[in-house]
Each structure stands twice: as structure tokens, then as C-alpha cells.
Amino acid sequence: MSNPIEYLKGVGPQRAELLKKELSIFTFGDLLSHFPFRHIDRTKLDFVNELTPQNDFAQIAGVLLDFEIIGQRQGKRLVAQLKDKTGEIELTWFQGLSWVEKILERRQSYLVYGRVTFYNGRPQMVHPEIELLKPDDPTAKNYLEPVYSSTEKLKARGLGGRQIGKLTQALLAQLHERDIAENIPNVVLQQQQLINRYPAIRQIHFPQNNEAYNAAVKRLKFEELFLAQLRMSLIRNNRHRFSHGVVFQKVGELFHSFYNHHLPFELTNAQKRVIKEIRSDTASGKQMNRLLQGDVGSGKTIVAVLLMLLAADNGFQSCLMAPTEILAQQHYATISELLKGIGVAVKLLTGSSKSAERKKVLKELIDGELKILIGTHAVIEDIVQFQNLGLVIIDEQHRFGVAQRAKLWAKATIPPHILVMTATPIPRTLAMTAYGDLDYSVIDELPPGRKPITTVHRYESQRHKVMDFIKTEIKKGRQIYIVFPLIEESDKLDYENLMKGYENVKAYFPEPKYWISMVHGRQSAELKETNMKRFVEHDTQIMVSTTVIEVGVNVPNASVMIIESTEKFGLSQLHQLRGRVGRGAEHSYCILMTGSKLGIDARERIKIMIETNNGFIIAEKDLQLRGPGDIDGTRQSGAFNFKLASIVQDRDILELARNAVEQLLENDPDLSSAENLLLKQYVQKSQKGIVWSKIS
Ligand code: ADP
Ligand code: MG
């Protein structure tokens, strides 16, 4: 299986180079895992006079009437006429002309397969797959023929999909069962009723029938998911067993005093449970690496505060990092207010901290005087040194890159405990595959007394009514957010739109009766802060902004969230924005504004937003609509390079694989028993540099 691909008969050094470059096929094994994307039944032929523009692909057998090379330079092409008993179809090649010219012969029969297009009412195929039809070709019957993806460059060298199939067939003919070693333990195969690896690989390429094909696919999907889960679980287990972490032994004075006398509300059960989970992690002597998920408004901040007090009780410093300046400031304000009577030092460090203040903070950190630091990415700069950093909490993790997080590890001799908090709920399947190596806690309960948010869709033509509605809310003393899309802060058009929008709002709500704040990414940090502050302190009733207010900002008196050009936002972003309201005692509203023209996807997103307030359901839908590659923060994780399995469609297989892995490791955590030896070797061999998972 690990033989270089050039050793395969019919490949040779030149084609091998291309296979490596174009399809990353380096070895025999790689060729076998270049799975066909579908199969065609070669006994089924289409007829030329039955082709319609509705035909996507067609397979036609006919006699080659004539062909010629016409045109010049870019326009140079080979055009051929193929005739079956019902009519004629034109075949065209723009590339690989000399190769095509060589294989074509007039008056011979060919089988062609390709996408059908119509030109002047006549059917044609561009770059069809073509093959000489021998009168009684044994391969023409009996089995489903695999169709492989290829590239133009490969096709030009005679390595189209059909030829790749031929190579695969030749390779399989040479291989024996022992060459394709089983990598899943027998017990698991029996339990899951899966076929062995060898027949599975044969059958996925050249199935006897549909049932055989399905059994092969099921086995190979399971294998992919099983191995991925196993790798992550091994990493997690190893950390649990061998990592070395600082110990938060006791719950001390600071924690108790805050918990008993200064907690502004009763914790929810979910909050209590999460604190307990983390408490036992941090007392274990192992390093904690935990993801904490909780929907917007579920109360993650207070959990962070209690944990930082726990660290301080044990003599350790902690640091809370937020993705934006505004959010860091707000955390700082909230937390220093909460901890006012407690007698523990809390300071803020951001990119815009004044240099005198910065110096002071840096000194107090190294002296160990300062126990709790709140900041932005400024805290990971090398100049920031701690005396004994014991806990790092990262809020809204998807905005911190892996490399940035890695810098944190270098700040203490024993790596600090790490808690990553995210309000973007991650579907369970995604969490399992992307973060399977992390420990994982969920706050799945909102604090009591929250009123649900009413979400509606309004068109531009209804803007007057929307503005009137705002007026009545303001009259009641409420505040309003109006958010414009400005995904890239540098986007000129979006920026102009925001300014136009602002002028428009001002026209409806003139001073001095109304006051408006505006916050966007092009403003200086000070200006942003001033404007934000005016809104927080209710000096202004309306906040016009871009998505810089998306995360974390907390103004309980705000009761209406208006989202402009809703179609430009993704689902999870819409949900985040909506989470800015519904934080107080009043009934809140989210108004999704759009023009009259809307795509299907945008309609679907709006429908989902109206139907549910549940972030976990929204995350699932988001995953279904967009696929895993686009979910925030997971694109770079490399966790989804599955060839066959899809974490959306195959979640049942994923669950089965997950359970199988758990059971396996429970009985044999090191995979040291004889029957798991092959599996262990297989996992180690294919564990090429997965470092990202160490440092989340
Ligand atoms: P998020 O999880 O989105 O960061 P926050 O920590 O900002 O949520 O909490 C949202 C709001 O809910 C805050 O005003 C906070 O004071 C309040 N809150 C948090 N926990 C509780 C609770 N157990 N009971 C009542 N209110 C709570
Ligand atoms: Mg928060």
C-alpha cells in the first residue's frame, strides 16, 4: 500500500508526477482511497434523439463519422461527430488534442460519457470520456462502473476518470487480503455489523451490486469517523493521565465571601454544574483544557469570575481575554463592580492602555500583586510576564488563532488551566469532531425570568411602521440597536450604506428630542468607547453600529434589535446580534429588515430566526445550510478532511463510532492488547503532526 505510485504498471514517472500534483496520489494506498464519486450502469445507454436540455450526463454508444482540428490558438479544438441509430452528437475537445487525435479512428464504435449541452438546438459534449467499444467487452456488463474525478491536465495525459478506473482495477488485481490490513478490531466490526476492510475497498470501487456498494461505504465511513475519534480521544486521555497542571486545592476566603455575600443572583443549576466540573479539573493535578459553551445570555461571565477567585484563593493569577476592546472594557467594568467589596485586585490591559498605566500593570503582574487581569490580545504580547499564571479564560474563542493561544502556554513553567468560552453554540457532531480532544461543558439553561424575544421580518417598504414602533418603545424608556452589515471594516460600499443609514435614522429621530450613538470599526478606540458608554449610560436612545457590538455587550434596557440588510448575515451572527436584547425584564423584539428581492437561503435563515430562539437548534441548521467548513473558527482546524463521511448526513454513524471508541478505550486505554496492536500501529502511523489539538 505504501509503494510509490510510479511503480504501478501503466503509470511511470511522468504520469506519477501529475498524479501527485493534481490529486495528491503518492502511493498505491492513495490511489485506492481516491474513491469513485458515483457509478454508472454501463448496460444503460442513452439515445441521441432522446436527449433534452434536462439531461445532465449521458452515455452514448455510436460510430465515429468524422473528426477534425479547427480554429487557431485559444480557439483551436478538435470536433468529432458520433452517430448512434437515432441521431448525431458533436464531441469537442479543447485540450489534449494530440492524444485524442491519436486514439480516434473513423468508422469505429465508441462509448462516450459526459455532460450534455445544447448549441443551436443540437446536442454536444465537451471533453467527454471516450473509449473504444469492442464487440464483446466483458467489462461492459455485470458490474457498476466507477466514475472518478480527474483534472484537465490529467485528462490531457490520458488519465481521465476511466483511465484512473483502469489503473485501480489493475492495482486491485495484484493485491491480496494481507496487503490491505484490517484496522478496526474484530469485536467492533461484529458489534457494528461491518464488513472487513479488504472487501470494502474492492467493493467501493467495483461493486457487484448496490447492496455490496452500500455495505462498503458504510464500513469505510465508519472507519474514517472511528479513527478520527480515536485519535482525539487518545490525545485527551493522554492529557488526563500524563499532563502536569497547577493545583487549586482549596476553596478559600475570596470565593466564599463572594459566593455567600456578593453574588447578585442565585446561580442556575447549569452554572453550578459547570463550576463543579471545572473545580474538579483544576484540583486534579492535571492541566485543564476545557471548552465552555453557553448560549448568549446564559451567564458565562459569572462562572469566569468565580473561577478567577478560586485561582486567587490558591495564590494564582488569572487572566480573561476578550476579542475586542469594547468587550474587554465591559468585562472589566462588570467584574470590577462585582468584586468591589472583595479585596482582590483587578486591572485592564488593552492596546490603548496609557503607557504609565501599562507599566504599572506589568510591574504588578510580575510582582504577583495583581491577581486578575482582563484584556484583549494585548495580554499575550511577550512583554507581559506573570509571576504565577494559573488560569486563562478566553471569551469568544473563535477570534483567537491557535498560534495566539500557544503564546499563552509560554507564560508559565507549568501550563495554566485553559477555559475557552463560546456563545456560538457548536452542534454536538461538530464539537465531537472539531474539539473531541477538549473537555467540554455546556450551560444549557438560561437564567430565570427571561422573556422570549419576538422576531419578525419586515421589508424596506414597511420602514415607516418600523420607525413608528421604535418611537413608541423609546417613549416607554427603552433603547434600540440598529445594526448594519460591515463584515469587512474596509468595505467601502458597506461603509457608505452605514453612513446613509445613520443620516436616515437621524432624520426620523432629530435632536434634541432623541440622541443617537454610532460605533464602527473605523473609529478610534476612544471614540468607540465614548459612544458606547453614552449608550450604556442611557445618554442616547439609539445605537447605530456595525457588528462590533456583536459579542458580549450588555445593555439590559435595550429592547429592540433592528438588523439592516439581514440577507448579508449568517445565521449564527444573526443569533448573536439578537442576543443583545432580551436581557432585561421587558419584552424584546428583533426586526429583520430586507429589500423585496431575497434568495432562497436568506429566506430560509430568516424563517429559522423567526421560529426559534434556541442557539443550539440554530447552530444545527447553520451547519446543515452551510456545511462544516464555514462554521466560525473551525475552518482551520483540519478536523473535517473526511473523504466519505459527512458530519451532517452521517451523524448516526458518528455517534456509533464515538461510542465504539469510548468502549474500546475503557477496556484498553493504551491499545496495548494484542488484538488492538494493528490499530495502534495504524493510528500512530497516520498521526502526521496534529499539533493544533494540543493548544486549544
Ligand atoms: P453570556 O453567557 O452571554 O456571557 P452574561 O454572563 O453576560 O452572558 O450574562 C447575561 C446576563 O445575565 C447578565 O446581565 C448577568 O448578570 C445575568 N445573569 C447571569 N447569571 C444569572 C443568574 N443565574 N440569574 C440571573 N441573572 C443572571
Ligand atoms: Mg459573554
Side-chain angles (χ1 to χ4, degrees):
M1 291 289 270
S2 54
N3 275 356
I5 192 67
E6 47 265 50
Y7 293 1
L8 184 63
K9 203 161 165 260
V11 177
Q14 282 185 357
R15 286 169 144 198
E17 271 322 297
L18 267 180
L19 281 172
K20 290 175 196 174
K21 247 220 229 76
E22 297 282 301
L23 296 175
S24 297
I25 294 176
F26 290 85
T27 63
F28 287 9
D30 292 340
L31 180 62
L32 290 187
S33 0
H34 185 63
F35 298 127
F37 61 88
R38 62 187 210 99
H39 286 83
I40 46 175
D41 184 345
R42 303 212 352 161
T43 56
K44 273 198 195 126
L45 287 179
D46 298 297
F47 296 104
V48 171
N49 71 346
E50 288 169 4
L51 295 177
T52 70
Q54 273 70 52
N55 279 83
D56 208 0
F57 286 87
Q59 173 162 260
I60 290 165
V63 176
L64 188 74
L65 297 180
D66 199 5
F67 65 90
E68 62 177 330
I69 292 181
I70 57 174
Q72 296 290 322
R73 293 165 202 267
Q74 316 300 45
K76 198 168 163 185
R77 60 198 186 276
L78 188 151
V79 180
Q81 270 77 39
L82 188 83
K83 178 181 187 312
D84 72 1
K85 61 183 185 211
T86 70
E88 276 179 40
I89 183 168
E90 191 172 280
L91 314 175
T92 308
W93 284 266
F94 294 95
Q95 283 175 10
L97 302 193
S98 52
W99 175 73
V100 180
E101 194 177 15
K102 230 183 297 168
I103 62 156
L104 292 185
E105 219 175 299
R106 293 176 181 83
R107 287 179 303 281
Q108 283 284 3
S109 291
Y110 289 90
L111 185 68
V112 298
Y113 175 83
R115 189 184 287 280
V116 183
T117 52
F118 277 79
Y119 185 71
N120 280 343
R122 296 175 42 191
Q124 58 170 11
M125 282 186 191
V126 176
H127 285 203
E129 297 189 10
I130 183 162
E131 193 182 0
L132 197 60
L133 201 61
K134 297 184 201 110
D136 45 17
D137 185 345
T139 61
K141 298 188 188 80
N142 296 339
Y143 68 81
L144 296 159
E145 181 173 320
V147 182
Y148 298 88
S149 59
S150 182
T151 67
E152 292 305 328
K153 278 208 180 105
L154 282 166
K155 280 183 196 161
R157 304 294 298 236
L159 277 176
R162 281 240 157 101
Q163 284 74 29
I164 289 176
K166 291 254 155 73
L167 290 178
T168 307
Q169 195 175 23
L171 174 58
L172 280 171
Q174 299 172 25
L175 293 177
H176 301 278
E177 181 142 16
R178 61 169 187 277
D179 297 315
I180 302 181
E182 182 54 67
N183 53 12
I184 298 180
N186 258 324
V187 223
V188 179
L189 290 178
Q190 275 165 17
Q191 217 169 43
Q192 308 291 337
Q193 303 188 324
L194 296 170
I195 62 171
N196 276 103
R197 191 149 182 256
Y198 177 70
I201 288 190
R202 293 194 78 95
Q203 294 290 332
I204 196 170
H205 290 284
F206 300 98
Q208 272 145 355
N209 50 44
N210 283 324
E211 291 76 63
Y213 176 75
N214 292 339
V217 168
K218 184 175 161 208
R219 141 79 210 207
L220 292 169
K221 279 182 175 175
F222 183 89
E223 175 185 319
E224 269 185 323
L225 295 168
F226 177 82
L227 292 174
Q229 290 292 300
L230 182 62
R231 283 187 196 106
M232 300 232 237
S233 297
L234 285 172
I235 293 170
R236 193 178 57 211
N237 285 3
N238 276 340
R239 193 180 62 245
H240 286 172
R241 293 162 67 205
F242 305 119
S243 77
H244 189 38
V246 295
V247 182
F248 298 168
Q249 207 150 29
K250 59 172 191 224
V251 179
E253 189 51 37
L254 294 169
F255 188 101
H256 278 311
S257 140
F258 179 71
Y259 196 91
N260 296 328
H261 306 297
H262 298 270
L263 207 56
F265 36 68
E266 167 93 9
L267 293 185
T268 63
N269 286 329
Q271 285 169 323
K272 285 181 193 161
R273 189 190 66 237
V274 166
I275 289 168
K276 218 179 267 169
E277 284 166 0
I278 295 171
R279 158 107 183 89
S280 91
D281 268 8
T282 53
S284 72
K286 308 301 175 201
Q287 191 238 354
M288 175 180 79
N289 213 350
R290 190 172 275 278
L291 181 69
L292 171 59
Q293 262 200 72
D295 208 344
V296 273
S298 62
K300 293 181 292 295
T301 314
I302 200 79
V303 172
V305 169
L306 283 160
L307 295 174
M308 294 195 290
L309 291 176
L310 179 66
D313 269 339
N314 288 278
F316 289 98
Q317 293 170 301
S318 41
C319 144
L320 171 63
M321 290 205 293
T324 64
E325 182 104 18
I326 291 182
L327 193 52
Q329 280 160 0
Q330 209 172 45
H331 270 323
Y332 175 68
T334 315
I335 293 172
S336 37
E337 178 66 28
L338 279 169
L339 296 181
K340 221 162 43 190
I342 301 296
V344 63
V346 183
K347 292 247 160 103
L348 176 71
L349 184 68
T350 71
S352 58
S353 297
K354 299 277 179 304
S355 91
E357 174 63 13
R358 170 185 304 263
K359 259 195 203 136
K360 198 156 164 246
V361 169
L362 292 180
K363 182 170 177 304
E364 289 174 6
L365 280 177
I366 201 108
D367 290 348
E369 218 175 294
L370 178 57
K371 290 295 182 224
I372 296 178
L373 179 67
I374 293 166
T376 54
H377 53 273
V379 308
I380 64 171
E381 284 163 18
D382 291 333
I383 191 167
V384 183
Q385 300 283 331
F386 294 80
Q387 190 192 59
N388 60 350
L389 181 62
L391 171 69
V392 175
I393 300 177
I394 301 172
D395 200 12
E396 308 303 340
Q397 55 86 214
H398 57 273
R399 306 224 176 166
F400 274 113
V402 166
Q404 289 173 307
R405 279 180 257 158
K407 283 183 109 176
L408 280 167
W409 282 60
K411 292 201 181 294
T413 30
I414 299 177
H417 297 301
I418 300 210
L419 181 70
V420 168
M421 306 198 296
T422 171
T424 311
I426 303 166
R428 199 177 129 69
T429 51
L430 201 58
M432 271 158 61
T433 40
Y435 302 106
D437 57 326
L438 296 187
D439 297 302
Y440 175 68
S441 294
V442 189
I443 305 185
D444 49 8
E445 179 185 359
L446 291 182
R450 290 278 159 82
K451 299 248 168 62
I453 302 163
T454 303
T455 302
V456 295
H457 176 199
R458 294 288 179 264
Y459 292 100
E460 192 51 46
S461 54
Q462 296 162 297
R463 182 169 292 277
H464 284 291
K465 279 196 178 150
V466 172
M467 292 298 173
D468 287 346
F469 175 69
I470 295 182
K471 269 186 191 153
T472 60
E473 283 292 300
I474 292 178
K475 212 178 260 164
K476 286 194 228 156
R478 303 285 89 78
Q479 288 166 279
I480 318 295
Y481 289 104
I482 305 178
V483 177
F484 286 81
L486 196 69
I487 315 302
E488 291 286 331
E489 292 291 346
S490 57
D491 191 312
K492 196 159 165 261
L493 243 165
D494 276 351
Y495 184 72
E496 280 167 10
N497 250 342
L498 169 71
M499 291 305 157
K500 244 193 265 162
Y502 176 62
E503 291 305 323
N504 194 24
V505 175
K506 258 180 39 187
Y508 271 103
F509 300 96
E511 295 170 4
K513 184 159 182 211
Y514 300 97
W515 297 96
I516 305 171
S517 292
M518 177 161 68
V519 171
H520 60 78
R522 288 190 184 184
Q523 293 168 336
S524 69
E526 292 94 72
L527 188 57
K528 256 190 264 179
E529 196 199 335
T530 323
N531 289 341
M532 195 65 223
K533 216 168 161 182
R534 288 182 65 207
F535 188 66
V536 171
E537 288 168 2
H538 205 168
D539 289 343
T540 60
Q541 300 101 329
I542 299 175
M543 163 61 80
V544 174
S545 86
T546 62
T547 50
V548 293
I549 58 121
E550 182 186 330
V551 268
V553 172
N554 192 22
V555 180
N557 188 48
S559 65
V560 183
M561 166 61 67
I562 295 178
I563 301 176
E564 299 285 349
S565 306
T566 301
E567 68 276 10
K568 291 198 182 175
F569 292 93
L571 257 184
S572 65
Q573 213 174 13
L574 290 173
H575 181 63
Q576 284 291 317
L577 287 169
R578 178 169 59 184
R580 299 305 108 218
V581 297
R583 301 181 151 238
E586 310 305 324
H587 195 113
S588 293
Y589 303 86
C590 175
I591 303 176
L592 306 172
M593 300 293 299
T594 70
S596 54
K597 278 207 197 93
L598 271 183
I600 297 173
D601 276 3
R603 266 181 213 288
E604 182 66 22
R605 290 198 294 272
I606 289 169
K607 186 169 152 252
I608 293 165
M609 285 295 290
I610 292 171
E611 275 169 10
T612 181
N613 267 307
N614 182 321
F616 284 90
I617 295 175
I618 287 174
E620 287 284 350
K621 297 278 186 190
D622 203 21
L623 181 61
Q624 282 165 20
L625 284 178
R626 292 198 297 170
D630 284 328
I631 303 292
D632 283 339
T634 53
R635 185 194 291 282
Q636 76 278 31
S637 78
F640 314 106
N641 298 331
F642 297 128
K643 282 193 145 79
L644 289 172
S646 142
I647 63 168
V648 179
Q649 269 113 53
D650 301 316
R651 53 180 308 160
D652 47 340
I653 305 182
L654 178 59
E655 297 277 354
L656 291 173
R658 164 87 158 194
N659 293 341
V661 165
E662 266 169 20
Q663 216 171 42
L664 179 76
L665 291 181
E666 199 164 303
N667 297 327
D668 185 8
D670 294 318
L671 300 182
S672 53
S673 71
E675 64 263 31
N676 293 332
L677 193 65
L678 274 178
L679 175 61
K680 184 174 186 166
Q681 283 168 355
Y682 191 90
V683 172
Q684 282 171 344
K685 220 171 36 196
S686 53
Q687 186 122 36
K688 297 172 208 153
I690 310 181
V691 279
W692 52 267
S693 46
K694 258 183 104 171
I695 44 175
S696 288

